[in-house]
């Protein structure tokens, strides 16, 4: 069997796993509230911000809201089990001077579902501090983050977008078992999506392009599945994984990012693959295991090694412009690079700064490598 045939078989196997995971995830999210009927739905037609929903039930907002104060929540939900329909409704803040939230789901409001709505011009567009569902939100041009999930475990964001915000598109903190499906987090002045200290999450079919920093950052977050990712043209990295374990990153395209395509820093037991897609033409390295944030392999060991990571069926190349395809920097051992394909990098398609046998390179196809034990 040729190296190419082996690569195709491996990528096909990984792709099937990704499709199964994605279908299960999408099937698990709801797009409606069957309990809401015309008879049980309350109409809200407020003239200004300052709306407080303190009773459980179904609500349909019919008016646009414009904030006249820099402070205070425009819409505050304090009751549990609220269904709020904001389809075709815009909620606008005061812009750069705003210190407020467009929509605030309080910690007492678990079970909230918010459908639709365009939220712009606030400090934070949508802040959820309890479990909830955001269906097709549009958070844009807010001063800080478009959407924040804080201590909101098992929350879901289904379709929609958070774009052109001054901070991150989405920041998830302390919110285990979160789900994001078919979401666009692009063109933000921070990163597309940042996940902090949150585990067992799922980010399926996300687009995170042209953010000033990374497409997706996982920080001290474990066991997150990221299938079907598109992360291109971000200022630093397509995907950044820091002090995080057991994450699975399956990129459709992770290309043309400023420094690295995928950056594993002091992180272990992660899987990186590109079934049916590519990780290529990133500024310095397509896939990097190390701790040099900007300069590529520097021969300096990280304070904490990255180990037991698997790069499986990754398609990397530099088109004669970019220096490296896959790099394992000094001190990062016990990793595997399998059935990956690299070509046309200006220095090396595959590079290992460690001794023979400390990492496993098997079934790879490449033109140049810095070590004879790379296969």
């Amino acid at each position: 069997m040729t190296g190419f045939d082996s690569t195709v078989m491996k990528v096909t196997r990984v792709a099937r796993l990704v499709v199964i995971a994605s279908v299960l995830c999408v099937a698990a999210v709801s797009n409606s509230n069957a309990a809401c009927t015309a008879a049980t739905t309350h109409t809200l037609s407020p003239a200004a911000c300052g709306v407080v929903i303190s009773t459980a039930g179904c609500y349909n907002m019919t008016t646009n809201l414009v904030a006249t104060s820099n402070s205070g929540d425009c819409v505050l939900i304090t009751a549990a089990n609220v269904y709020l329909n904001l389809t075709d409704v815009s909620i606008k803040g005061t812009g750069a001077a705003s210190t407020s939230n467009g929509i605030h789901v309080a910690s007492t409001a678990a079970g909230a579902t918010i459908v639709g709505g365009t939220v712009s011009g606030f400090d934070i567009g949508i802040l959820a501090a309890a479990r909830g569902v955001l269906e097709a939100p549009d958070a844009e041009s807010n001063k800080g983050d478009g959407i924040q999930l804080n201590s909101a475990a098992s929350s879901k964001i289904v379709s929609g977008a958070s774009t052109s915000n001054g901070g991150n598109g989405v920041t998830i903190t302390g919110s285990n078992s979160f789900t994001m499906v078919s979401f666009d987090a692009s063109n933000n002045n921070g990163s597309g999506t940042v996940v902090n200290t949150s585990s067992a999450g799922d980010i399926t079919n996300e687009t995170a392009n042209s953010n000033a920093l990374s497409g997706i950052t996982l920080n001290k977050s474990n066991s997150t599945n990221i299938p079907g990712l598109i992360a291109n043209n971000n200022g630093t990295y397509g995907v950044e994984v820091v002090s995080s374990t057991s994450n699975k990153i399956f990129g459709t395209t992770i290309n043309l990012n400023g420094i690295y395509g995928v950056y594993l820093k002091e992180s272990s037991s992660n899987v990186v693959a590109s079934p049916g897609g590519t990780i290529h033409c990133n500024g310095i390295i397509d896939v990097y295991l190390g701790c040099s944030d900007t300069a590529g392999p520097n021969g300096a060991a990280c304070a904490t090694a990255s180990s037991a990571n698997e790069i499986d069926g990754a398609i990397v190349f530099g088109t004669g412009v970019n220096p490296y395809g896959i790099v394992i920097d000094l001190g990062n051992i016990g990793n595997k690079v399998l059935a990956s394909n690299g070509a046309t990098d200006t220095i090396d398609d595959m590079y290992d700064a460690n001794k023979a046998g400390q990492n496993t390179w098997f079934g790879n196809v490449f033109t140049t490598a810095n070590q004879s034990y790379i296969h």
Side-chain angles (χ1 to χ4, degrees), residues 16-144:
R16 282 198 293 266
L17 293 175
V18 173
V19 170
I20 292 170
S22 298
V23 169
L24 290 175
C25 175
V26 172
V29 297
S30 168
N31 289 311
S32 64
N33 190 327
C36 294
T37 65
T40 61
T41 298
H42 308 282
T43 298
L44 296 178
S45 301
C49 287
V51 177
V52 178
I53 301 176
S54 56
T55 302
C58 303
Y59 298 86
N60 183 40
M61 188 173 291
T62 61
T63 53
N64 298 324
L65 299 177
V66 178
T68 57
S69 172
N70 295 328
S71 61
D73 300 318
C74 188
V75 177
L76 172 62
I77 301 174
T78 61
N81 301 316
V82 165
Y83 180 90
L84 176 60
N85 182 11
L86 296 175
T87 302
D88 297 326
V89 170
S90 68
I91 300 174
K92 295 183 179 180
T94 56
S98 177
T99 60
S100 60
N101 306 302
I103 300 172
H104 182 187
V105 179
S107 60
T108 56
T113 296
I114 301 171
V115 178
T118 298
V119 184
S120 61
F122 292 92
D123 185 22
I124 305 299
I126 302 172
L127 170 61
R131 172 181 54 84
V133 177
L134 304 178
E135 296 186 7
D138 182 4
E140 60 183 47
S141 302
N142 293 286
K143 184 176 72 173

Side-chain angles (χ1 to χ4, degrees), residues 317-343:
F317 53 90
T319 63
V321 176
N322 306 101
Y324 297 97
I326 299 172
V327 171
I328 303 178
D329 215 342
L330 186 67
N332 301 293
I333 61 176
N335 301 287
K336 298 179 180 179
V337 182
L338 308 173
S340 294
N341 193 318

Side-chain angles (χ1 to χ4, degrees), residues 1-357:
M1 179 182 296
T2 68
F4 177 78
D5 291 335
S6 176
T7 299
V8 171
M9 290 181 68
K10 182 76 72 171
V11 169
T12 301
R13 176 179 63 81
V14 173
R16 282 198 293 266
L17 293 175
V18 173
V19 170
I20 292 170
S22 298
V23 169
L24 290 175
C25 175
V26 172
V29 297
S30 168
N31 289 311
S32 64
N33 190 327
C36 294
T37 65
T40 61
T41 298
H42 308 282
T43 298
L44 296 178
S45 301
C49 287
V51 177
V52 178
I53 301 176
S54 56
T55 302
C58 303
Y59 298 86
N60 183 40
M61 188 173 291
T62 61
T63 53
N64 298 324
L65 299 177
V66 178
T68 57
S69 172
N70 295 328
S71 61
D73 300 318
C74 188
V75 177
L76 172 62
I77 301 174
T78 61
N81 301 316
V82 165
Y83 180 90
L84 176 60
N85 182 11
L86 296 175
T87 302
D88 297 326
V89 170
S90 68
I91 300 174
K92 295 183 179 180
T94 56
S98 177
T99 60
S100 60
N101 306 302
I103 300 172
H104 182 187
V105 179
S107 60
T108 56
T113 296
I114 301 171
V115 178
T118 298
V119 184
S120 61
F122 292 92
D123 185 22
I124 305 299
I126 302 172
L127 170 61
R131 172 181 54 84
V133 177
L134 304 178
E135 296 186 7
D138 182 4
E140 60 183 47
S141 302
N142 293 286
K143 184 176 72 173
D145 294 345
I147 297 173
Q148 287 187 358
L149 303 182
N150 293 335
S151 301
S154 301
S155 290
K156 298 179 174 67
I157 304 176
V158 185
S159 71
S162 185
T163 58
S164 302
N165 296 289
N168 302 321
V170 179
T171 300
I172 300 171
T173 303
S175 301
N176 294 339
S177 303
F178 68 90
T179 300
M180 296 177 65
V181 180
S182 300
F183 196 75
D184 184 2
S186 299
N187 296 297
N188 296 288
N189 201 43
S191 295
T193 296
V194 174
V195 181
N196 299 310
T197 60
S198 302
S199 297
D202 196 295
I203 304 173
T204 296
N205 295 337
E206 173 159 319
T207 298
N209 293 335
S210 302
N211 296 288
L213 299 178
S214 65
I216 292 180
T217 290
L218 303 180
N219 177 42
K220 298 180 180 178
S221 297
N222 309 321
S223 303
T224 300
N225 293 320
I226 310 179
L229 174 64
I230 298 174
N232 302 320
N233 292 295
N234 295 289
T236 56
Y237 323 116
V239 181
E240 177 186 26
V241 181
V242 181
S243 302
S244 301
T245 64
S246 303
N247 300 288
K248 295 178 173 59
I249 301 160
F250 299 104
T252 299
T253 60
I254 305 177
N255 304 333
L256 300 166
N257 297 287
I259 302 174
Y260 308 136
V262 178
Y263 181 18
L264 302 182
K265 180 178 182 179
E266 300 185 341
S267 296
S268 297
S269 302
N270 300 285
V271 177
V272 178
S274 56
T278 58
I279 307 173
H280 76 79
C281 294
N282 295 285
I284 299 176
I285 305 171
D286 290 325
V287 181
Y288 177 51
L289 280 68
C291 53
S292 173
D293 291 342
T294 60
N298 59 6
C302 303
T304 300
S306 293
S307 62
N309 295 290
E310 183 173 319
I311 303 168
D312 191 346
I315 309 300
V316 300
F317 53 90
T319 63
V321 176
N322 306 101
Y324 297 97
I326 299 172
V327 171
I328 303 178
D329 215 342
L330 186 67
N332 301 293
I333 61 176
N335 301 287
K336 298 179 180 179
V337 182
L338 308 173
S340 294
N341 193 318
T344 65
D345 294 288
T346 60
I347 297 179
D348 281 307
D349 301 324
M350 301 191 180
Y351 179 101
D352 194 335
N354 300 280
K355 295 179 181 179

